[in-house]
């Protein structure tokens, strides 16, 4: 084999090995996930890049890109905990979602006047000031936030009421409130089936989650098989419409733990 040909072969081998290693890392250990919407504010912001711990709950076919893992059910399975921020495969449309795990199998979940009830008991909230951001296009999708202080123009301050919520197992996290009289603020009782979970966004009035039926684009109940992993840490964050706009990087969020 000629020297040039040998060099090309070695380069191809190096590229293939690198791709295999990267694929194994992404499949078995950690998967990057970009936050495209404001449904998890202020825990996760539009433009956050998080590492998803794929070892947290074991593995299913959805652990592989394009659901190609030849796995039935879950292997090396571990039960998720209430309050985990979880990336999962939508049961109907096949896209990846990130929400907070609120309801475990057998739980009864209900919202009344914007307040969460689990198994008939109120989940306590305490006021925690106001979340403020500039009204402007956010992220590559250029979406604009919803505000509790009305329809504000570009460049104005968009506000949301913030509360600290304490789940029954002691997990404390932020939730946002925009209104108290929407459908998602006053629901029927949802009884979580065995082998499935109930998820909600922390930005309670701007989240298509388990409160909404799958028939209308909601998440509904999510089977255990659809869990991909736990969002543990923000690695990088950009407030701009492109991650290349370095002046929009949020350096205070680099390597920030997800609570």
């Amino acid at each position: 084999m000629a020297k040039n040909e040998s060099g090309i072969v070695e380069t191809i081998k190096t590229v293939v090995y690198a791709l295999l290693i990267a694929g194994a890392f992404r499949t078995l250990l950690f998967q990057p996930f970009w936050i495209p919407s404001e449904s998890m504010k202020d825990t996760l912001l539009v433009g956050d890049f998080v590492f998803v711990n794929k070892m947290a709950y074991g593995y299913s076919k959805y652990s592989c890109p394009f659901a190609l893992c030849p796995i039935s059910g879950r292997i090396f399975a571990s039960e998720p905990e209430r309050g985990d921020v979880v990336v999962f495969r939508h049961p109907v449309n096949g896209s990846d979602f990130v929400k907070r795990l609120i309801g475990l199998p057998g739980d009864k979940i209900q919202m009344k006047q914007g307040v969460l009830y689990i198994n008939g008991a109120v989940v306590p909230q305490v006021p925690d000031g106001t979340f403020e951001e500039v009204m402007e296009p956010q992220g590559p999708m250029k979406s604009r936030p919803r505000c509790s202080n009305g329809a504000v123009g570009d460049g104005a301050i968009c506000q949301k009421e913030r509360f600290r919520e304490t789940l029954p197992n002691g997990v404390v996290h932020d939730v946002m409130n925009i209104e108290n009289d929407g459908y998602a603020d006053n629901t029927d009782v949802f009884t979580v089936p065995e082998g499935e979970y109930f998820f909600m966004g922390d930005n309670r009035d701007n989240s298509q989650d388990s409160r909404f039926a799958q028939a209308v684009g909601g998440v509904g109940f999510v089977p255990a098989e659809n869990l991909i992993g736990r969002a543990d840490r923000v690695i990088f964050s950009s407030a701009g419409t492109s991650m290349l706009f370095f002046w929009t990087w949020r350096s205070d969020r680099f390597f920030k733990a997800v609570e």
Side-chain angles (χ1 to χ4, degrees), residues 134-151:
V134 176
M135 173 60 76
E136 60 184 354
Q138 297 183 345
M141 296 174 65
K142 299 183 179 180
S143 58
R144 284 174 167 80
R146 289 185 61 202
C147 316
S148 60
N149 56 326

Side-chain angles (χ1 to χ4, degrees), residues 21-180:
I21 291 171
F25 182 88
R26 184 184 184 279
T27 299
L28 299 176
L29 301 177
F30 297 97
Q31 173 181 328
F33 184 81
W34 171 69
I35 305 301
S37 74
E38 66 169 336
S39 70
M40 282 296 293
K41 287 181 179 176
D42 66 347
T43 304
L44 296 173
L45 305 181
V46 176
D48 281 351
F49 284 82
V50 300
F51 262 10
V52 179
N53 181 354
K54 302 184 80 169
M55 300 174 286
Y57 312 129
Y59 304 95
S60 75
K61 66 180 182 180
Y62 298 111
S63 299
C64 290
F66 311 109
L68 292 178
C69 283
I71 299 172
S72 177
R74 298 197 76 86
I75 61 173
F76 309 118
S78 296
E79 293 297 320
E81 297 183 8
R82 195 192 312 274
D84 286 356
V85 177
V86 180
V87 173
F88 57 88
R89 186 64 50 87
H90 191 288
V92 175
N93 68 27
S95 58
D96 291 345
F97 274 43
V98 59
K99 306 289 182 186
R100 191 176 297 275
L101 176 55
I102 296 296
L104 303 174
D107 281 343
K108 296 183 183 299
I109 308 296
Q110 187 176 23
M111 293 290 290
K112 299 179 184 179
Q113 294 293 306
V115 177
L116 174 63
Y117 287 74
I118 298 179
N119 296 323
V122 65
V123 176
Q125 294 181 356
V126 295
D128 191 36
T130 302
F131 175 76
E132 296 186 345
E133 57 188 335
V134 176
M135 173 60 76
E136 60 184 354
Q138 297 183 345
M141 296 174 65
K142 299 183 179 180
S143 58
R144 284 174 167 80
R146 289 185 61 202
C147 316
S148 60
N149 56 326
V152 302
D154 280 4
I157 297 298
C158 173
Q159 297 179 335
K160 297 178 181 65
E161 295 176 314
R162 180 168 53 203
F163 297 84
R164 294 289 280 172
E165 183 175 82
T166 303
L167 296 171
N169 60 342
V171 172
V172 181
H173 65 102
D174 286 352
V175 295
M176 299 291 164
N177 183 61
I178 300 172
E179 57 184 0
N180 290 318

